[in-house]
Amino acid sequence: MAKLAVLDMKGKKVSDIELKDEIFAIEPHKQSMHLVVLSYLAAQRQGTQSTLTRSEVSGGGKKPWRQKGTGRARQGSTRAPQWTHGGIALGPKPRDYKLDVNRKVRRLAMKSALSSKVAEDEMIVVDSLAMSEIKTKDMADALAAVKAGKKTLIVVPEKDEVVYKSARNIEGVKVSPVNTLNVYDILNCNTLVIAKDAVAKIEEVLS
């Protein structure tokens, strides 16, 4: 089993933790991570953009000039795409950008992302992230003490408003409970700071 040091909020080692190899020490599967990240980013798109086709633009019911004899190109409507104020040809319409990825691939991608962070020494386990009050300075000092990177993802076992509000004004820092943890956020951070209790929950879900 992979073994990592468990630090306190002051950056001092308090114990060791053994991580399950089938979750934190597999060979990262790049294709599955790519698919899951693609699906995540696609789901962020609203898909509400819309343009009017020539049949939806008001006006243009009358033929602008007769078919023959004018010397000009034949035209049937002033709302054809080549006209100013005409409809849009092949423009976007409301649609769903969702990409389905099956559960086995999603689980493999999550394990691969976590394993890559452990392999690259970018995962820091802390004994506890509990804070008595909302204070950004205390959170910034704690992250500096554990030597977190510029872009840090803090993973807590469950939603914690005190931790969230203490970290939200620190540039590059994001807080995520275990139940909303995703592959994109893991790969997008320089350092994964994770509470010891959150590790146990992740192992319980992915085992």
Side-chain angles (χ1 to χ4, degrees):
M1 284 188 170
K3 185 181 284 189
L4 286 182
V6 179
L7 309 179
D8 62 15
M9 296 282 275
K10 294 182 180 178
K12 293 180 181 177
K13 180 179 175 180
V14 293
S15 64
D16 287 311
I17 185 172
E18 288 190 341
L19 305 173
K20 290 187 177 180
D21 287 346
E22 65 266 27
I23 297 172
F24 293 96
I26 70 168
E27 181 69 29
H29 192 269
K30 293 182 180 179
Q31 180 64 18
S32 66
M33 290 191 289
H34 173 75
L35 283 174
V36 171
V37 168
L38 202 65
S39 173
Y40 174 83
L41 293 176
Q44 307 308 303
R45 300 182 69 175
Q46 287 184 316
T48 54
Q49 69 274 44
S50 183
T51 54
L52 300 180
T53 64
R54 62 185 293 171
S55 64
E56 295 168 323
V57 179
S58 63
K62 183 184 177 183
K63 189 173 174 67
W65 51 75
R66 68 181 190 269
Q67 181 82 345
K68 293 178 175 293
T70 64
R72 287 179 288 188
R74 54 193 174 189
Q75 301 290 333
S77 170
T78 57
R79 295 298 177 260
Q82 72 271 21
W83 285 75
T84 302
H85 308 303
I88 302 298
L90 308 177
K93 282 291 184 185
R95 57 167 287 194
D96 183 5
Y97 287 94
K98 183 179 178 182
L99 297 173
D100 288 327
V101 179
N102 70 50
R103 193 164 68 93
K104 284 186 178 180
V105 174
R106 291 200 305 270
R107 288 170 69 88
L108 176 59
M110 180 65 77
K111 292 177 181 179
S112 296
L114 292 168
S115 296
S116 68
K117 286 299 175 186
V118 173
E120 294 166 12
D121 293 324
E122 293 180 351
M123 178 167 149
I124 299 169
V125 181
V126 294
D127 187 38
S128 173
L129 284 164
M131 299 181 68
S132 58
E133 60 178 335
I134 299 168
K135 203 159 187 182
T136 302
K137 186 179 185 303
D138 289 351
M139 178 59 74
D141 289 344
L143 292 176
V146 300
K147 297 180 180 178
K150 190 172 182 181
K151 291 178 74 175
T152 298
L153 176 64
I154 300 172
V155 183
V156 290
E158 53 195 22
K159 190 175 181 181
D160 189 324
E161 284 294 319
V162 177
V163 173
Y164 170 71
K165 289 181 178 179
S166 296
R168 66 181 173 183
N169 284 334
I170 304 174
E171 186 180 358
V173 175
K174 183 175 181 178
V175 178
S176 174
V178 169
N179 62 352
T180 63
L181 187 62
N182 63 78
V183 174
Y184 175 79
D185 285 340
I186 294 172
L187 297 177
N188 194 41
C189 69
N190 301 127
T191 309
L192 183 64
V193 176
I194 183 167
K196 187 178 178 180
D197 291 344
V199 173
K201 276 201 169 187
I202 289 172
E203 290 183 337
E204 182 184 342
V205 171
L206 295 178
S207 291

